Amino acid sequence: MFVTFSSLYSFQGVATPSFKIPHVDKAVHFVFYFVACILGVFFLCERTKGDMKLKKAIVVMVVATIVFGIIIEVIQYACTANRQGDFMDGLANSMGSFCGAILVKWYFSGKRQLKWKF
């Protein structure tokens, strides 16, 4: 919800702090999708009570977050007056998703296993 609102809401006319850091929005896109992928993997494992294997949950969330990011960018391009879709934003979204997936896979491989107890 937060990512969708932040991506589609026009903040024009709203007093928001202004930062003059070039391409900081790409870092924000990366972080949003990095966190979304990690939380999504945990959500899928929790929701399925551990029946969904970690690898499958990772693949599902990477695909879901990338598709969601592309849809948001298309909606920004086609349907909003003050926002614009950007290929580089979509790339930052995808890279965030991939890096989140890599982190989850790395952290829970080996000695640390993701275990769900009910």
Side-chain angles (χ1 to χ4, degrees), residues 23-108:
H23 309 294
V24 74
D25 67 313
K26 305 308 181 247
V28 171
H29 281 268
F30 179 89
V31 170
F32 279 177
Y33 285 82
F34 178 83
V35 172
C37 186
I38 292 170
L39 293 177
V41 169
F42 293 153
F43 171 78
L44 286 176
C45 290
E46 177 70 24
R47 196 73 178 143
T48 62
K49 297 185 178 10
D51 289 338
M52 182 179 282
K53 299 290 184 197
L54 181 62
K55 184 176 180 179
K56 183 176 179 182
I58 289 171
V59 170
V60 167
M61 281 317 302
V62 167
V63 170
T65 54
I66 289 173
V67 168
F68 178 76
I70 291 169
I71 290 170
I72 288 293
E73 293 302 320
V74 169
I75 290 172
Q76 282 181 341
Y77 178 78
C79 300
T80 62
N82 299 324
R83 305 294 298 234
Q84 54 225 2
D86 183 15
F87 175 76
M88 295 307 287
D89 287 349
L91 187 60
N93 298 345
S94 300
M95 292 305 298
S97 295
F98 281 124
C99 289
I102 290 168
L103 179 71
V104 169
K105 180 65 177 158
W106 168 78
Y107 189 78
F108 290 110

